Amino acid sequence: MPPSKSSDKKQQQKPAPNLLQKTYLVTYNTTSLLLWTTCTLRTLLLLLNNTPIPQIFTDVYPLLKITQSLALLEIIHSLVGLVRAPVMTTGMQVASRILLVWGIMFPFQGVIVGETADNGVQVGDWGFLGCMLAWGVTEIIRYGFFALQVSGMGVPAAWTWLRYNTFYVLYPLGISSECVMVFKALGPAGDVSPLFKWFLVLVLGVYVPGSYILYTHMIAQRRKALKKK
């Protein structure tokens, strides 16, 4: 006997978060918004003041690693059903960032932002700056969107447009920048351990299908969100 329409609706409906959950989610998203805004503005201000890239990294990285590490909570949010985000896509997004911040930037700072080519250009700079720009703008928009949405204040139409359209440019920028940093870390990773180097090679191999999965997931989410409107 097929289920009735009323039972289908009950299964699809997700109970609204209680006051404690709502308060926690608003606090988490607002805190993340403020942290990413600080990281991004700090990077831009230092860049505008012609601060050397290694010095920008030194100034921004301590707060960046705390800010990005906080996103590990999002995997727990997904696992316990606090948010509707799929566990797999959430885990992939957070894991790639954690690898970059703790597995690449932390041990190999000199390679990421300190290598100088024959023409005097630090060839690793644009990868780090590309990540900071793509991550920062994306997360400011995303956490601001969620903070407004969960609080019940309502999300302005312009903010919604940014949420579901800027990733078309920012996601490829972020992925390509991440790949540059992983590639540049292969040499020093091999000095640490051949297994570490081959792990990073595997990571680069996974980036292509993984990026496709995440990119198409975001496109699907965009269609679903705009269809509702």
Side-chain angles (χ1 to χ4, degrees), residues 160-205:
T160 301
W161 186 91
L162 291 173
R163 165 74 175 132
Y164 291 108
N165 288 278
T166 52
F167 77 89
Y168 278 113
V169 175
L170 294 176
Y171 187 76
L173 172 62
I175 287 295
S176 59
S177 300
E178 291 173 23
C179 287
V180 166
M181 288 198 291
V182 174
F183 179 78
K184 290 180 63 61
L186 292 179
D191 295 335
V192 174
S193 169
L195 291 178
F196 190 16
K197 177 181 179 179
W198 285 109
F199 169 72
L200 294 182
V201 171
L202 178 62
V203 167
L204 286 175

Side-chain angles (χ1 to χ4, degrees), residues 32-52:
S32 297
L33 169 63
L34 294 175
L35 288 172
W36 276 110
T37 300
T38 303
C39 286
T40 307
L41 291 180
R42 181 64 176 163
T43 300
L44 291 175
L45 289 174
L46 290 171
L47 191 61
L48 290 174
N49 288 330
N50 295 320
T51 305

Side-chain angles (χ1 to χ4, degrees), residues 83-213:
V83 297
R84 291 177 296 176
V87 177
M88 173 180 269
T89 53
T90 301
M92 290 173 63
Q93 289 173 322
V94 174
S96 65
R97 297 277 193 87
I98 293 298
L99 171 64
L100 263 296
V101 171
W102 286 103
I104 303 297
M105 294 182 184
F106 181 72
F108 305 134
Q109 173 185 348
V111 175
I112 299 306
V113 297
E115 184 177 339
T116 304
D118 294 337
N119 59 2
V121 177
Q122 291 181 310
V123 294
D125 294 350
W126 82 269
F128 168 69
L129 292 177
C131 281
M132 289 305 301
L133 175 62
W135 293 357
V137 176
T138 296
E139 301 298 35
I140 289 171
I141 295 171
R142 186 168 73 96
Y143 287 117
F145 179 91
F146 288 145
L148 291 169
Q149 186 181 60
V150 176
S151 67
M153 297 173 60
V155 183
W159 203 282
T160 301
W161 186 91
L162 291 173
R163 165 74 175 132
Y164 291 108
N165 288 278
T166 52
F167 77 89
Y168 278 113
V169 175
L170 294 176
Y171 187 76
L173 172 62
I175 287 295
S176 59
S177 300
E178 291 173 23
C179 287
V180 166
M181 288 198 291
V182 174
F183 179 78
K184 290 180 63 61
L186 292 179
D191 295 335
V192 174
S193 169
L195 291 178
F196 190 16
K197 177 181 179 179
W198 285 109
F199 169 72
L200 294 182
V201 171
L202 178 62
V203 167
L204 286 175
V206 172
Y207 255 91
V208 175
S211 301
Y212 175 78
I213 292 173

